[in-house]
Amino acid sequence: MRRIGETHNKLYELTGYRLHGDAYLIQAFTDISASKVLNNTDFIAYGNDVLTFYADIIIHERYGTFRSFNSIREASDNGYAIKGSYFSGTAKSLQKKLISNETLASIVDKYELFPGYDTHIIYNENDQALTSAKANLFRAIIGAYFVTFNGKYEILKSVVQRVLPFNSVFKVYEESSKLDLPFIPDLSKAVTQLKEFHEMG
């Protein structure tokens, strides 16, 4: 049995933030079968929504926010346009990969979070049920962060960026598709890139 303090430390290592006190951590690890009142059911729902929303945002920022020049109808249109070829089925498949049960369970395994400091998570012995239980524990933990930080956008986005394997998933996708990536600014090379971007237009 792991002590609560050790679990707090592991979550800090994973997310870069600490949950406020022990109550949310305990609830995140408490299955409805152990308590009908203070269980992790709502945390699982919150966490799923947070992971889905911020995964979409981060995918969109990488592949969807730069202008699709073919879609610009007026010379005065100098805003951003979504590149539909990137931000449709492809974006959804990337999102599913990032927040799948298998991906979330692997994060739980890496940080040795299951079953946690106690045995309140109830699960079956077969692999699929165990993977689902671990993934739901991860969702509940993210839900606890949502409640702890009152839905603060920048904190939750930072947590999701840190916990999900964006780099590896994006790398596999870009290498397999030989993707012609949109222009991505690098502030350290701002003058050169602004010149290149101007020439592209």
Side-chain angles (χ1 to χ4, degrees):
M1 184 183 299
R2 184 183 302 128
R3 294 181 179 178
I4 290 178
E6 292 178 58
T7 304
H8 274 298
N9 290 338
K10 284 184 174 291
L11 293 182
Y12 178 74
E13 180 186 355
L14 171 63
T15 67
Y17 292 90
R18 290 190 181 278
L19 292 172
H20 297 164
D22 297 338
Y24 291 148
L25 184 147
I26 292 170
Q27 189 167 350
F29 279 82
T30 302
D31 189 81
I32 192 170
S33 60
S35 172
K36 299 297 183 185
V37 180
L38 295 175
N39 59 66
N40 63 8
T41 303
D42 287 340
F43 281 2
I44 291 170
Y46 295 153
N48 188 64
D49 289 345
V50 167
L51 291 167
T52 301
F53 176 74
Y54 287 99
D56 276 347
I57 290 291
I58 294 164
I59 293 167
H60 177 76
E61 287 176 347
R62 187 169 182 89
Y63 301 119
T65 55
F66 290 90
R67 297 178 74 182
S68 175
F69 290 96
N70 293 333
S71 72
I72 295 174
R73 299 177 182 176
E74 299 178 16
S76 61
D77 180 3
N78 60 358
Y80 288 130
I82 291 174
K83 288 192 173 183
S85 60
Y86 295 142
F87 203 69
S88 52
T90 296
K92 187 57 64 177
S93 68
L94 290 172
Q95 179 221 83
K96 287 182 178 178
K97 173 66 175 174
L98 286 161
I99 63 174
S100 69
N101 280 354
E102 291 74 20
T103 297
L104 302 186
S106 71
I107 299 168
V108 167
D109 287 340
K110 178 179 178 180
Y111 287 87
E112 299 178 336
L113 295 170
F114 189 89
Y117 69 92
D118 211 335
T119 55
H120 289 317
I121 302 295
I122 309 301
Y123 60 93
N124 297 319
E125 292 298 328
N126 70 75
D127 290 342
Q128 186 174 355
L130 182 56
T131 297
S132 178
K134 290 177 180 178
N136 279 334
L137 171 60
F138 186 84
R139 294 182 181 101
I141 289 167
I142 298 302
Y145 277 93
F146 172 78
V147 175
T148 291
F149 292 104
N150 295 314
K152 289 182 179 177
Y153 179 90
E154 292 301 333
I155 291 177
L156 292 172
K157 183 181 177 187
S158 174
V159 167
V160 173
Q161 280 182 307
R162 183 160 174 157
V163 301
L164 294 183
F166 287 101
N167 289 340
S168 60
V169 169
F170 288 165
K171 182 178 179 181
V172 169
Y173 166 58
E174 289 165 13
E175 288 179 349
S176 64
S177 63
K178 295 184 171 64
L179 184 64
D180 181 19
L181 288 174
F183 172 81
I184 300 176
D186 180 347
L187 293 180
S188 68
K189 304 174 183 176
V191 174
T192 301
Q193 290 193 334
L194 280 174
K195 183 175 183 293
E196 291 174 355
F197 192 41
H198 176 72
E199 290 171 353
M200 286 169 57

